[in-house]
Amino acid sequence: MAVYEERIPQVKRIAPKRRGNRRVLLLLLLFFLLVLAVLFFRSSYSKVAVIEVAGNVLYTKEEITAASGLAPGMQFFNVWQKDVQENVKQLAGIKTITVSRKFPGVIRLDVVEYKRVAFLVDAKGDFMPLLENGVRLDDNKMKANVIDDPLVRNWTSPELLPELSAALAKLPVSIRNEISEIALTPTPYDKQRVTLYMRDGNEVRTVIYQLAERMAYYPAIASDIPEGKKGVIHMLEATWFSEYPAPKETEESGDRQQGQTDQSDQARQTKGAAR
C-alpha cells in the first residue's frame, strides 16, 4: 500500500478566492466616501464664512471684496487667485493681490496698493488721489485724508502727471511732506517748469525731470538760509536763493507815516506864522 500511495500524484490544495469580498469592501468604502463628500459640501464647513482684507488704504474692505467677486456662502474650494487678480483690475490703485485660505471658511486677501504721492485739485475744488504710477483716482471721499500729501493745482498738462508722480515717488517721505502745493508754471522754453510751495514759507522753482534729484538737497539748502528770511530757491542749471521783496503794505505804511509827519510839521509852521 505504501508503494501505491507513493505512485499516486499529490493534488495541490488551492486557497479559496477572496476577490469577491475585496470588491464588496472597496465598493462600501467608496460609498461611504461619497456620502461623506456629499455631507461635507452641503455643510457650512465647505462654504466661505469670512473674507479678510489687509494692506488696503485707498479702498475700503467692502470695495475690494465686491471687486474680487468673492462673497460669503460660496464654495471654499472654488476660490482661485487668478480669478480674483483678474477681477480687481478694475481698481486702478491696486498693484498686487494675494489670496490665501484658512480652514474652515476663511479667505484672506493681502493687498499691495500703489503709493499715493499727492492730491490733484480740479477746477471744482475736489481732491483726487494721484498715485505713483500716474493714475488719478476720481474719488472725492479721500479729501478727509489730506494731511501731509502735496496738493497739485493749476495743472494744465495731464500728460505730464505720470512723470511728476514718478519723481515724487522717488523722494523721501520726509521731504515730500514738506511740499504744500505744486503748480505747473511753464515757460516758452521749458514746458516742465514747476513751482513748489514749501510748508516753511519758501518756494522752489525747478523742472519735473530734475525734481527728484534736486529736491533731495532741499533740507541742506534751506538750513543755510539766514533765520527769518524767506524767498525763492531756484534749482535749475545752477542753484541760488532770492529773498522775497519787502511787503508793499509795510512800505505804504511807512509812506503814510512820513506823510502824516510832514503834514503835522507843516501845520505847526502855519500856526507859528499866524501868531
Side-chain angles (χ1 to χ4, degrees):
M1 289 295 295
V3 175
Y4 288 107
E5 289 179 357
E6 291 178 357
R7 291 179 179 179
I8 296 173
Q10 298 293 325
V11 179
K12 294 182 179 180
R13 293 183 180 182
I14 301 175
K17 296 180 179 180
R18 297 182 180 180
R19 292 182 180 178
N21 293 338
R22 290 179 179 177
R23 288 178 180 176
V24 172
L25 291 175
L26 181 59
L27 289 174
L28 288 175
L29 180 60
L30 291 175
F31 174 76
F32 282 113
L33 289 176
L34 181 61
V35 171
L36 290 175
V38 171
L39 292 176
F40 173 77
F41 283 108
R42 296 189 64 178
S43 70
S44 60
Y45 292 102
S46 67
K47 305 292 192 298
V48 174
V50 178
I51 301 175
E52 299 177 348
V53 179
N56 56 308
V57 175
L58 298 175
Y59 301 100
T60 64
K61 172 186 175 182
E62 291 72 21
E63 289 173 325
I64 295 174
T65 302
S68 69
L70 304 181
M74 66 184 301
Q75 284 295 330
F76 183 75
F77 293 103
N78 197 31
V79 176
W80 304 100
Q81 180 165 294
K82 62 179 182 179
D83 295 335
V84 174
Q85 291 174 340
E86 186 66 27
N87 291 337
V88 299
K89 285 183 178 179
Q90 59 184 292
L91 302 179
I94 292 182
K95 182 185 292 186
T96 61
I97 187 167
T98 305
V99 180
S100 58
R101 299 179 180 87
K102 183 179 179 181
F103 191 81
V106 179
I107 298 294
R108 179 183 173 93
L109 304 178
D110 288 290
V111 178
V112 177
E113 299 174 331
Y114 288 103
K115 291 187 297 183
R116 189 183 67 204
V117 295
F119 279 91
L120 185 66
V121 185
D122 64 8
K124 297 180 181 179
D126 291 336
F127 289 67
M128 293 171 287
L130 185 63
L131 308 183
E132 61 179 324
N133 60 343
V135 171
R136 177 188 62 190
L137 299 183
D138 298 328
D139 192 351
N140 191 35
K141 76 175 186 298
M142 300 296 296
K143 184 175 182 179
N145 295 332
V146 178
I147 300 176
D148 295 324
D149 291 316
L151 301 181
V152 180
R153 298 182 185 272
N154 303 323
W155 200 270
T156 56
S157 300
E159 69 278 3
L160 295 178
L161 284 176
E163 195 167 349
L164 174 67
S165 301
L168 291 174
K170 294 177 182 178
L171 286 177
V173 176
S174 58
I175 296 179
R176 191 169 70 236
N177 289 347
E178 288 299 314
I179 305 173
S180 175
E181 294 186 13
I182 303 173
L184 184 64
T185 52
T187 67
Y189 308 101
D190 198 335
K191 302 299 182 183
Q192 294 202 15
R193 188 73 61 88
V194 290
T195 299
L196 283 60
Y197 300 93
M198 309 303 293
R199 298 185 191 277
D200 59 8
N202 292 315
E203 294 180 26
V204 175
R205 294 179 186 174
T206 185
V207 288
I208 299 174
Y209 53 85
Q210 292 182 344
L211 190 150
E213 178 184 355
R214 300 285 184 176
M215 284 300 295
Y217 300 101
Y218 180 80
I221 295 172
S223 64
D224 288 338
I225 298 175
E227 186 177 355
K229 292 188 177 182
K230 303 296 179 182
V232 180
I233 302 174
H234 302 266
M235 294 185 176
L236 300 166
E237 290 79 7
T239 300
W240 74 95
F241 172 76
S242 57
E243 188 179 357
Y244 288 137
K248 292 183 177 180
E249 293 183 0
T250 303
E251 295 178 356
E252 292 176 356
S253 177
D255 293 341
R256 285 196 298 269
Q257 291 177 358
Q258 183 64 36
Q260 291 173 359
T261 301
D262 293 342
Q263 291 177 0
S264 298
D265 293 341
Q266 184 176 2
R268 282 195 296 269
Q269 293 175 0
T270 303
K271 287 180 181 179
R275 289 178 182 174

